[in-house]
PDB file of all heavy atoms in Angstrom:
ATOM      1  N   LEU A  36      -1.734  15.755  24.896  1.00 97.00           N
ATOM      2  CA  LEU A  36      -0.950  14.489  24.636  1.00 97.00           C
ATOM      3  C   LEU A  36      -1.957  13.497  23.889  1.00 97.00           C
ATOM      4  O   LEU A  36      -1.439  12.886  22.988  1.00 97.00           O
ATOM      5  CB  LEU A  36      -0.615  13.921  26.069  1.00 97.00           C
ATOM      6  CG  LEU A  36       0.419  14.585  26.761  1.00 97.00           C
ATOM      7  CD1 LEU A  36       0.613  13.971  28.139  1.00 97.00           C
ATOM      8  CD2 LEU A  36       1.824  14.554  25.987  1.00 97.00           C
ATOM      9  N   ASP A 128      -3.918  13.911  33.015  1.00 83.00           N
ATOM     10  CA  ASP A 128      -3.285  15.058  33.567  1.00 83.00           C
ATOM     11  C   ASP A 128      -3.168  14.967  35.067  1.00 83.00           C
ATOM     12  O   ASP A 128      -3.002  15.883  35.718  1.00 83.00           O
ATOM     13  CB  ASP A 128      -4.036  16.385  33.154  1.00 83.00           C
ATOM     14  CG  ASP A 128      -5.448  16.322  33.644  1.00 83.00           C
ATOM     15  OD1 ASP A 128      -5.865  15.277  34.217  1.00 83.00           O
ATOM     16  OD2 ASP A 128      -6.223  17.278  33.345  1.00 83.00           O
ATOM     17  N   ASN A 129      -3.275  13.728  35.583  1.00 79.00           N
ATOM     18  CA  ASN A 129      -3.154  13.617  37.053  1.00 79.00           C
ATOM     19  C   ASN A 129      -2.690  12.211  37.516  1.00 79.00           C
ATOM     20  O   ASN A 129      -2.798  11.261  36.748  1.00 79.00           O
ATOM     21  CB  ASN A 129      -4.516  13.986  37.793  1.00 79.00           C
ATOM     22  CG  ASN A 129      -5.548  13.016  37.570  1.00 79.00           C
ATOM     23  OD1 ASN A 129      -5.562  11.935  38.193  1.00 79.00           O
ATOM     24  ND2 ASN A 129      -6.432  13.284  36.592  1.00 79.00           N
ATOM     25  N   PHE A 130      -2.085  12.212  38.646  1.00 82.00           N
ATOM     26  CA  PHE A 130      -1.519  10.887  39.098  1.00 82.00           C
ATOM     27  C   PHE A 130      -2.528   9.922  39.733  1.00 82.00           C
ATOM     28  O   PHE A 130      -2.248   8.726  39.732  1.00 82.00           O
ATOM     29  CB  PHE A 130      -0.355  11.193  40.151  1.00 82.00           C
ATOM     30  CG  PHE A 130       0.833  11.535  39.496  1.00 82.00           C
ATOM     31  CD1 PHE A 130       1.226  12.904  39.376  1.00 82.00           C
ATOM     32  CD2 PHE A 130       1.679  10.582  38.851  1.00 82.00           C
ATOM     33  CE1 PHE A 130       2.487  13.271  38.752  1.00 82.00           C
ATOM     34  CE2 PHE A 130       2.825  10.968  38.238  1.00 82.00           C
ATOM     35  CZ  PHE A 130       3.189  12.267  38.203  1.00 82.00           C
ATOM     36  N   ARG A 133      -3.182   7.921  36.737  1.00 91.00           N
ATOM     37  CA  ARG A 133      -2.037   7.159  36.362  1.00 91.00           C
ATOM     38  C   ARG A 133      -1.747   5.854  37.329  1.00 91.00           C
ATOM     39  O   ARG A 133      -1.371   4.854  36.821  1.00 91.00           O
ATOM     40  CB  ARG A 133      -0.829   8.010  36.335  1.00 91.00           C
ATOM     41  CG  ARG A 133      -0.811   8.999  35.243  1.00 91.00           C
ATOM     42  CD  ARG A 133       0.517   9.742  35.120  1.00 91.00           C
ATOM     43  NE  ARG A 133       0.558  10.569  33.856  1.00 91.00           N
ATOM     44  CZ  ARG A 133       0.226  11.881  33.958  1.00 91.00           C
ATOM     45  NH1 ARG A 133       0.018  12.495  35.091  1.00 91.00           N
ATOM     46  NH2 ARG A 133       0.253  12.650  32.848  1.00 91.00           N
ATOM     47  N   TYR A 149       3.924   5.976  30.117  1.00 98.00           N
ATOM     48  CA  TYR A 149       3.679   7.221  30.867  1.00 98.00           C
ATOM     49  C   TYR A 149       4.240   8.357  30.092  1.00 98.00           C
ATOM     50  O   TYR A 149       5.303   8.298  29.448  1.00 98.00           O
ATOM     51  CB  TYR A 149       4.459   7.121  32.186  1.00 98.00           C
ATOM     52  CG  TYR A 149       4.708   8.372  32.919  1.00 98.00           C
ATOM     53  CD1 TYR A 149       3.687   9.087  33.515  1.00 98.00           C
ATOM     54  CD2 TYR A 149       6.000   8.906  33.082  1.00 98.00           C
ATOM     55  CE1 TYR A 149       3.873  10.278  34.207  1.00 98.00           C
ATOM     56  CE2 TYR A 149       6.225  10.118  33.750  1.00 98.00           C
ATOM     57  CZ  TYR A 149       5.143  10.799  34.327  1.00 98.00           C
ATOM     58  OH  TYR A 149       5.391  11.963  34.985  1.00 98.00           O
ATOM     59  N   ALA A 151       4.137  12.943  30.404  1.00 95.00           N
ATOM     60  CA  ALA A 151       3.645  14.058  31.133  1.00 95.00           C
ATOM     61  C   ALA A 151       4.473  15.285  30.792  1.00 95.00           C
ATOM     62  O   ALA A 151       5.630  15.133  30.434  1.00 95.00           O
ATOM     63  CB  ALA A 151       3.597  13.869  32.624  1.00 95.00           C
ATOM     64  N   CYS A 152       3.890  16.455  30.932  1.00 93.00           N
ATOM     65  CA  CYS A 152       4.660  17.575  30.603  1.00 93.00           C
ATOM     66  C   CYS A 152       4.104  18.871  31.374  1.00 93.00           C
ATOM     67  O   CYS A 152       2.897  18.866  31.583  1.00 93.00           O
ATOM     68  CB  CYS A 152       4.862  17.963  29.169  1.00 93.00           C
ATOM     69  SG  CYS A 152       3.234  17.746  28.188  1.00 93.00           S
ATOM     70  N   VAL A 153       4.907  19.839  31.607  1.00 89.00           N
ATOM     71  CA  VAL A 153       4.356  21.069  32.164  1.00 89.00           C
ATOM     72  C   VAL A 153       5.420  22.151  31.782  1.00 89.00           C
ATOM     73  O   VAL A 153       6.714  21.816  31.769  1.00 89.00           O
ATOM     74  CB  VAL A 153       4.227  20.956  33.736  1.00 89.00           C
ATOM     75  CG1 VAL A 153       5.390  20.651  34.440  1.00 89.00           C
ATOM     76  CG2 VAL A 153       3.520  22.231  34.217  1.00 89.00           C
ATOM     77  N   TYR A 156       9.037  21.362  30.234  1.00 93.00           N
ATOM     78  CA  TYR A 156       9.630  20.071  30.700  1.00 93.00           C
ATOM     79  C   TYR A 156       8.648  18.934  30.480  1.00 93.00           C
ATOM     80  O   TYR A 156       7.521  19.087  30.630  1.00 93.00           O
ATOM     81  CB  TYR A 156       9.890  20.377  32.235  1.00 93.00           C
ATOM     82  CG  TYR A 156      10.449  19.100  32.915  1.00 93.00           C
ATOM     83  CD1 TYR A 156      11.724  18.748  32.873  1.00 93.00           C
ATOM     84  CD2 TYR A 156       9.487  18.338  33.761  1.00 93.00           C
ATOM     85  CE1 TYR A 156      12.214  17.571  33.593  1.00 93.00           C
ATOM     86  CE2 TYR A 156       9.938  17.230  34.466  1.00 93.00           C
ATOM     87  CZ  TYR A 156      11.277  16.863  34.302  1.00 93.00           C
ATOM     88  OH  TYR A 156      11.750  15.795  35.029  1.00 93.00           O
ATOM     89  N   LEU A 173       8.669   3.487  41.151  1.00 94.00           N
ATOM     90  CA  LEU A 173       9.477   4.779  41.048  1.00 94.00           C
ATOM     91  C   LEU A 173       8.974   5.913  41.884  1.00 94.00           C
ATOM     92  O   LEU A 173       9.687   6.834  42.209  1.00 94.00           O
ATOM     93  CB  LEU A 173       9.434   5.235  39.561  1.00 94.00           C
ATOM     94  CG  LEU A 173       9.849   4.324  38.493  1.00 94.00           C
ATOM     95  CD1 LEU A 173       9.999   5.074  37.126  1.00 94.00           C
ATOM     96  CD2 LEU A 173      11.111   3.579  38.812  1.00 94.00           C
ATOM     97  N   GLU A 175       7.065   6.789  45.342  1.00 77.00           N
ATOM     98  CA  GLU A 175       6.557   6.239  46.674  1.00 77.00           C
ATOM     99  C   GLU A 175       5.237   6.969  47.044  1.00 77.00           C
ATOM    100  O   GLU A 175       4.520   6.403  47.886  1.00 77.00           O
ATOM    101  CB  GLU A 175       7.641   6.430  47.741  1.00 77.00           C
ATOM    102  CG  GLU A 175       8.748   5.512  47.555  1.00 77.00           C
ATOM    103  CD  GLU A 175       9.755   5.538  48.617  1.00 77.00           C
ATOM    104  OE1 GLU A 175       9.711   6.364  49.486  1.00 77.00           O
ATOM    105  OE2 GLU A 175      10.655   4.629  48.618  1.00 77.00           O
ATOM    106  N   GLU A 176       5.071   8.084  46.469  1.00 71.00           N
ATOM    107  CA  GLU A 176       3.850   8.868  46.896  1.00 71.00           C
ATOM    108  C   GLU A 176       3.219   9.485  45.610  1.00 71.00           C
ATOM    109  O   GLU A 176       4.007   9.733  44.670  1.00 71.00           O
ATOM    110  CB  GLU A 176       4.320   9.995  47.807  1.00 71.00           C
ATOM    111  CG  GLU A 176       3.547  10.050  49.077  1.00 71.00           C
ATOM    112  CD  GLU A 176       4.161  11.139  49.988  1.00 71.00           C
ATOM    113  OE1 GLU A 176       4.320  12.257  49.538  1.00 71.00           O
ATOM    114  OE2 GLU A 176       4.488  10.721  51.129  1.00 71.00           O
ATOM    115  N   GLN A 227      17.861  20.604  27.776  1.00 91.00           N
ATOM    116  CA  GLN A 227      18.362  19.490  28.499  1.00 91.00           C
ATOM    117  C   GLN A 227      17.560  18.176  28.036  1.00 91.00           C
ATOM    118  O   GLN A 227      16.433  18.193  27.659  1.00 91.00           O
ATOM    119  CB  GLN A 227      18.027  19.686  29.954  1.00 91.00           C
ATOM    120  CG  GLN A 227      18.692  20.887  30.564  1.00 91.00           C
ATOM    121  CD  GLN A 227      18.215  21.117  32.004  1.00 91.00           C
ATOM    122  OE1 GLN A 227      17.219  20.513  32.507  1.00 91.00           O
ATOM    123  NE2 GLN A 227      18.932  22.008  32.687  1.00 91.00           N
ATOM    124  N   ARG A 229      17.912  13.841  29.040  1.00 92.00           N
ATOM    125  CA  ARG A 229      18.597  12.770  29.729  1.00 92.00           C
ATOM    126  C   ARG A 229      17.871  11.528  29.856  1.00 92.00           C
ATOM    127  O   ARG A 229      16.561  11.485  29.771  1.00 92.00           O
ATOM    128  CB  ARG A 229      19.136  13.175  31.128  1.00 92.00           C
ATOM    129  CG  ARG A 229      17.956  13.637  32.036  1.00 92.00           C
ATOM    130  CD  ARG A 229      18.581  14.296  33.294  1.00 92.00           C
ATOM    131  NE  ARG A 229      17.392  14.848  33.946  1.00 92.00           N
ATOM    132  CZ  ARG A 229      17.108  16.166  33.891  1.00 92.00           C
ATOM    133  NH1 ARG A 229      17.817  16.971  33.102  1.00 92.00           N
ATOM    134  NH2 ARG A 229      16.055  16.620  34.450  1.00 92.00           N
ATOM    135  N   ILE A 231      17.690   7.905  32.098  1.00 95.00           N
ATOM    136  CA  ILE A 231      18.161   7.170  33.346  1.00 95.00           C
ATOM    137  C   ILE A 231      17.732   5.747  33.405  1.00 95.00           C
ATOM    138  O   ILE A 231      16.552   5.438  33.127  1.00 95.00           O
ATOM    139  CB  ILE A 231      17.688   7.991  34.573  1.00 95.00           C
ATOM    140  CG1 ILE A 231      18.460   9.390  34.577  1.00 95.00           C
ATOM    141  CG2 ILE A 231      17.936   7.253  35.796  1.00 95.00           C
ATOM    142  CD1 ILE A 231      18.071  10.237  35.770  1.00 95.00           C
ATOM    143  N   ASP A 232      18.787   4.881  33.704  1.00 95.00           N
ATOM    144  CA  ASP A 232      18.387   3.493  33.780  1.00 95.00           C
ATOM    145  C   ASP A 232      17.791   3.228  35.254  1.00 95.00           C
ATOM    146  O   ASP A 232      18.421   3.468  36.253  1.00 95.00           O
ATOM    147  CB  ASP A 232      19.678   2.704  33.705  1.00 95.00           C
ATOM    148  CG  ASP A 232      19.412   1.152  33.718  1.00 95.00           C
ATOM    149  OD1 ASP A 232      18.296   0.804  34.130  1.00 95.00           O
ATOM    150  OD2 ASP A 232      20.372   0.438  33.339  1.00 95.00           O
ATOM    151  N   LYS A 235      17.039  -0.782  38.727  1.00 94.00           N
ATOM    152  CA  LYS A 235      17.338  -1.132  40.132  1.00 94.00           C
ATOM    153  C   LYS A 235      16.203  -0.720  41.109  1.00 94.00           C
ATOM    154  O   LYS A 235      16.230  -1.090  42.238  1.00 94.00           O
ATOM    155  CB  LYS A 235      18.578  -0.412  40.562  1.00 94.00           C
ATOM    156  CG  LYS A 235      19.856  -1.047  40.071  1.00 94.00           C
ATOM    157  CD  LYS A 235      21.091  -0.467  40.771  1.00 94.00           C
ATOM    158  CE  LYS A 235      22.368  -0.897  40.151  1.00 94.00           C
ATOM    159  NZ  LYS A 235      23.382   0.027  40.464  1.00 94.00           N
TER     160      LYS A 235
ATOM    161  N   ASN B  28      22.121  18.319  36.439  1.00 89.00           N
ATOM    162  CA  ASN B  28      21.309  18.366  35.245  1.00 89.00           C
ATOM    163  C   ASN B  28      22.072  19.046  34.110  1.00 89.00           C
ATOM    164  O   ASN B  28      21.524  19.928  33.338  1.00 89.00           O
ATOM    165  CB  ASN B  28      19.965  18.926  35.454  1.00 89.00           C
ATOM    166  CG  ASN B  28      19.104  18.022  36.274  1.00 89.00           C
ATOM    167  OD1 ASN B  28      19.388  16.862  36.552  1.00 89.00           O
ATOM    168  ND2 ASN B  28      17.891  18.590  36.628  1.00 89.00           N
ATOM    169  N   HIS B  51      10.574  17.191  46.622  1.00 79.00           N
ATOM    170  CA  HIS B  51      10.114  16.168  47.608  1.00 79.00           C
ATOM    171  C   HIS B  51      10.803  14.880  47.292  1.00 79.00           C
ATOM    172  O   HIS B  51      10.775  14.352  46.154  1.00 79.00           O
ATOM    173  CB  HIS B  51       8.575  16.028  47.426  1.00 79.00           C
ATOM    174  CG  HIS B  51       7.968  15.140  48.421  1.00 79.00           C
ATOM    175  ND1 HIS B  51       8.538  14.887  49.705  1.00 79.00           N
ATOM    176  CD2 HIS B  51       6.804  14.427  48.416  1.00 79.00           C
ATOM    177  CE1 HIS B  51       7.803  14.119  50.333  1.00 79.00           C
ATOM    178  NE2 HIS B  51       6.744  13.791  49.568  1.00 79.00           N
ATOM    179  N   LYS B  53      10.389  11.752  47.895  1.00 77.00           N
ATOM    180  CA  LYS B  53       9.688  10.584  47.468  1.00 77.00           C
ATOM    181  C   LYS B  53       9.233  10.560  46.070  1.00 77.00           C
ATOM    182  O   LYS B  53       8.983   9.497  45.397  1.00 77.00           O
ATOM    183  CB  LYS B  53       8.410  10.356  48.287  1.00 77.00           C
ATOM    184  CG  LYS B  53       8.754  10.105  49.747  1.00 77.00           C
ATOM    185  CD  LYS B  53       7.591   9.553  50.608  1.00 77.00           C
ATOM    186  CE  LYS B  53       8.174   9.048  51.899  1.00 77.00           C
ATOM    187  NZ  LYS B  53       7.100   8.781  52.885  1.00 77.00           N
ATOM    188  N   ILE B  54       9.234  11.707  45.397  1.00 81.00           N
ATOM    189  CA  ILE B  54       8.845  11.750  43.984  1.00 81.00           C
ATOM    190  C   ILE B  54       9.992  12.133  43.008  1.00 81.00           C
ATOM    191  O   ILE B  54       9.816  12.479  41.916  1.00 81.00           O
ATOM    192  CB  ILE B  54       7.641  12.668  43.770  1.00 81.00           C
ATOM    193  CG1 ILE B  54       7.979  14.113  44.099  1.00 81.00           C
ATOM    194  CG2 ILE B  54       6.483  12.262  44.563  1.00 81.00           C
ATOM    195  CD1 ILE B  54       7.018  15.118  43.596  1.00 81.00           C
ATOM    196  N   ILE B  56      13.846  11.091  41.369  1.00 93.00           N
ATOM    197  CA  ILE B  56      14.815  10.078  41.072  1.00 93.00           C
ATOM    198  C   ILE B  56      16.208  10.694  40.829  1.00 93.00           C
ATOM    199  O   ILE B  56      16.344  11.730  40.190  1.00 93.00           O
ATOM    200  CB  ILE B  56      14.383   9.286  39.824  1.00 93.00           C
ATOM    201  CG1 ILE B  56      13.167   8.439  40.180  1.00 93.00           C
ATOM    202  CG2 ILE B  56      15.450   8.430  39.252  1.00 93.00           C
ATOM    203  CD1 ILE B  56      12.637   7.611  39.092  1.00 93.00           C
ATOM    204  N   GLU B  58      20.372  10.344  40.178  1.00 95.00           N
ATOM    205  CA  GLU B  58      21.492   9.530  39.641  1.00 95.00           C
ATOM    206  C   GLU B  58      22.766  10.303  39.896  1.00 95.00           C
ATOM    207  O   GLU B  58      22.821  11.568  39.649  1.00 95.00           O
ATOM    208  CB  GLU B  58      21.251   9.332  38.115  1.00 95.00           C
ATOM    209  CG  GLU B  58      22.079   8.277  37.547  1.00 95.00           C
ATOM    210  CD  GLU B  58      21.920   8.207  36.026  1.00 95.00           C
ATOM    211  OE1 GLU B  58      22.136   9.216  35.367  1.00 95.00           O
ATOM    212  OE2 GLU B  58      21.537   7.170  35.508  1.00 95.00           O
ATOM    213  N   ILE B  63      22.224   5.008  39.867  1.00 94.00           N
ATOM    214  CA  ILE B  63      20.996   5.482  40.451  1.00 94.00           C
ATOM    215  C   ILE B  63      21.069   5.279  42.023  1.00 94.00           C
ATOM    216  O   ILE B  63      21.683   4.343  42.528  1.00 94.00           O
ATOM    217  CB  ILE B  63      19.769   4.654  39.917  1.00 94.00           C
ATOM    218  CG1 ILE B  63      18.533   5.428  40.138  1.00 94.00           C
ATOM    219  CG2 ILE B  63      19.717   3.286  40.424  1.00 94.00           C
ATOM    220  CD1 ILE B  63      17.507   5.308  38.946  1.00 94.00           C
ATOM    221  N   MET B  65      19.221   4.690  45.593  1.00 93.00           N
ATOM    222  CA  MET B  65      18.000   4.150  46.244  1.00 93.00           C
ATOM    223  C   MET B  65      17.430   5.177  47.152  1.00 93.00           C
ATOM    224  O   MET B  65      18.193   5.751  47.951  1.00 93.00           O
ATOM    225  CB  MET B  65      18.238   2.820  46.901  1.00 93.00           C
ATOM    226  CG  MET B  65      19.005   1.768  46.044  1.00 93.00           C
ATOM    227  SD  MET B  65      18.144   1.361  44.514  1.00 93.00           S
ATOM    228  CE  MET B  65      16.769   0.387  45.136  1.00 93.00           C
ATOM    229  N   LYS B  66      16.041   5.324  47.122  1.00 89.00           N
ATOM    230  CA  LYS B  66      15.454   6.386  47.874  1.00 89.00           C
ATOM    231  C   LYS B  66      15.813   6.320  49.451  1.00 89.00           C
ATOM    232  O   LYS B  66      15.974   7.211  50.129  1.00 89.00           O
ATOM    233  CB  LYS B  66      13.951   6.334  47.767  1.00 89.00           C
ATOM    234  CG  LYS B  66      13.491   6.900  46.394  1.00 89.00           C
ATOM    235  CD  LYS B  66      11.952   6.990  46.406  1.00 89.00           C
ATOM    236  CE  LYS B  66      11.412   6.667  45.054  1.00 89.00           C
ATOM    237  NZ  LYS B  66      11.650   7.776  44.041  1.00 89.00           N
ATOM    238  N   GLU B  81      22.099  13.909  38.303  1.00 94.00           N
ATOM    239  CA  GLU B  81      20.843  14.139  37.480  1.00 94.00           C
ATOM    240  C   GLU B  81      19.736  13.962  38.440  1.00 94.00           C
ATOM    241  O   GLU B  81      19.599  12.992  39.245  1.00 94.00           O
ATOM    242  CB  GLU B  81      20.715  13.067  36.407  1.00 94.00           C
ATOM    243  CG  GLU B  81      21.891  12.982  35.334  1.00 94.00           C
ATOM    244  CD  GLU B  81      21.921  14.214  34.443  1.00 94.00           C
ATOM    245  OE1 GLU B  81      20.916  14.989  34.465  1.00 94.00           O
ATOM    246  OE2 GLU B  81      22.876  14.406  33.701  1.00 94.00           O
ATOM    247  N   ILE B  82      18.900  14.940  38.480  1.00 92.00           N
ATOM    248  CA  ILE B  82      17.646  14.884  39.291  1.00 92.00           C
ATOM    249  C   ILE B  82      16.424  14.892  38.415  1.00 92.00           C
ATOM    250  O   ILE B  82      16.221  15.833  37.555  1.00 92.00           O
ATOM    251  CB  ILE B  82      17.542  16.008  40.279  1.00 92.00           C
ATOM    252  CG1 ILE B  82      18.756  16.129  41.180  1.00 92.00           C
ATOM    253  CG2 ILE B  82      16.309  15.856  41.189  1.00 92.00           C
ATOM    254  CD1 ILE B  82      18.845  17.402  42.052  1.00 92.00           C
ATOM    255  N   VAL B  83      15.641  13.878  38.504  1.00 92.00           N
ATOM    256  CA  VAL B  83      14.394  13.813  37.604  1.00 92.00           C
ATOM    257  C   VAL B  83      13.199  13.917  38.556  1.00 92.00           C
ATOM    258  O   VAL B  83      13.067  13.206  39.523  1.00 92.00           O
ATOM    259  CB  VAL B  83      14.289  12.473  36.860  1.00 92.00           C
ATOM    260  CG1 VAL B  83      12.926  12.491  36.125  1.00 92.00           C
ATOM    261  CG2 VAL B  83      15.442  12.420  35.824  1.00 92.00           C
ATOM    262  N   HIS B  84      12.331  14.904  38.301  1.00 87.00           N
ATOM    263  CA  HIS B  84      11.124  14.970  39.101  1.00 87.00           C
ATOM    264  C   HIS B  84       9.891  14.713  38.168  1.00 87.00           C
ATOM    265  O   HIS B  84       9.962  15.021  37.013  1.00 87.00           O
ATOM    266  CB  HIS B  84      11.005  16.326  39.814  1.00 87.00           C
ATOM    267  CG  HIS B  84      10.792  17.472  38.821  1.00 87.00           C
ATOM    268  ND1 HIS B  84      11.875  18.040  38.149  1.00 87.00           N
ATOM    269  CD2 HIS B  84       9.727  18.073  38.502  1.00 87.00           C
ATOM    270  CE1 HIS B  84      11.381  18.987  37.384  1.00 87.00           C
ATOM    271  NE2 HIS B  84      10.119  19.125  37.595  1.00 87.00           N
ATOM    272  N   PHE B  85       8.950  14.042  38.799  1.00 89.00           N
ATOM    273  CA  PHE B  85       7.734  13.716  38.071  1.00 89.00           C
ATOM    274  C   PHE B  85       6.773  14.853  38.026  1.00 89.00           C
ATOM    275  O   PHE B  85       6.539  15.620  38.994  1.00 89.00           O
ATOM    276  CB  PHE B  85       7.060  12.503  38.704  1.00 89.00           C
ATOM    277  CG  PHE B  85       7.830  11.190  38.345  1.00 89.00           C
ATOM    278  CD1 PHE B  85       8.892  10.787  39.131  1.00 89.00           C
ATOM    279  CD2 PHE B  85       7.425  10.431  37.300  1.00 89.00           C
ATOM    280  CE1 PHE B  85       9.634   9.639  38.839  1.00 89.00           C
ATOM    281  CE2 PHE B  85       8.177   9.317  36.993  1.00 89.00           C
ATOM    282  CZ  PHE B  85       9.210   8.878  37.758  1.00 89.00           C
ATOM    283  N   VAL B  86       6.131  15.005  36.863  1.00 86.00           N
ATOM    284  CA  VAL B  86       5.032  15.986  36.846  1.00 86.00           C
ATOM    285  C   VAL B  86       3.739  15.335  36.257  1.00 86.00           C
ATOM    286  O   VAL B  86       3.756  14.226  35.781  1.00 86.00           O
ATOM    287  CB  VAL B  86       5.392  17.202  35.893  1.00 86.00           C
ATOM    288  CG1 VAL B  86       6.570  17.985  36.338  1.00 86.00           C
ATOM    289  CG2 VAL B  86       5.668  16.649  34.438  1.00 86.00           C
ATOM    290  N   GLY B  87       2.692  16.077  36.479  1.00 81.00           N
ATOM    291  CA  GLY B  87       1.358  15.373  36.261  1.00 81.00           C
ATOM    292  C   GLY B  87       0.650  15.869  34.979  1.00 81.00           C
ATOM    293  O   GLY B  87      -0.272  15.234  34.541  1.00 81.00           O
ATOM    294  N   GLY B  88       1.113  16.967  34.456  1.00 80.00           N
ATOM    295  CA  GLY B  88       0.356  17.635  33.368  1.00 80.00           C
ATOM    296  C   GLY B  88       0.386  16.898  32.126  1.00 80.00           C
ATOM    297  O   GLY B  88       1.108  15.930  31.929  1.00 80.00           O
ATOM    298  N   GLY B  89      -0.476  17.372  31.170  1.00 79.00           N
ATOM    299  CA  GLY B  89      -0.519  16.695  29.851  1.00 79.00           C
ATOM    300  C   GLY B  89      -1.479  17.390  28.979  1.00 79.00           C
ATOM    301  O   GLY B  89      -2.328  17.591  28.580  1.00 79.00           O
TER     302      GLY B  89
END
Side-chain angles (χ1 to χ4, degrees):
Chain A
L36 289 172
D128 59 1
N129 69 80
F130 279 101
R133 289 190 176 98
Y149 163 70
C152 44
V153 63
Y156 174 78
L173 306 193
E175 290 186 349
E176 231 171 57
Q227 299 174 349
R229 56 189 172 264
I231 292 185
D232 184 346
K235 280 189 193 160
Chain B
N28 292 351
H51 186 24
K53 293 196 169 165
I54 63 167
I56 287 179
E58 196 186 57
I63 200 143
M65 307 305 284
K66 284 185 215 289
E81 301 288 350
I82 305 172
V83 174
H84 66 282
F85 284 84
V86 297

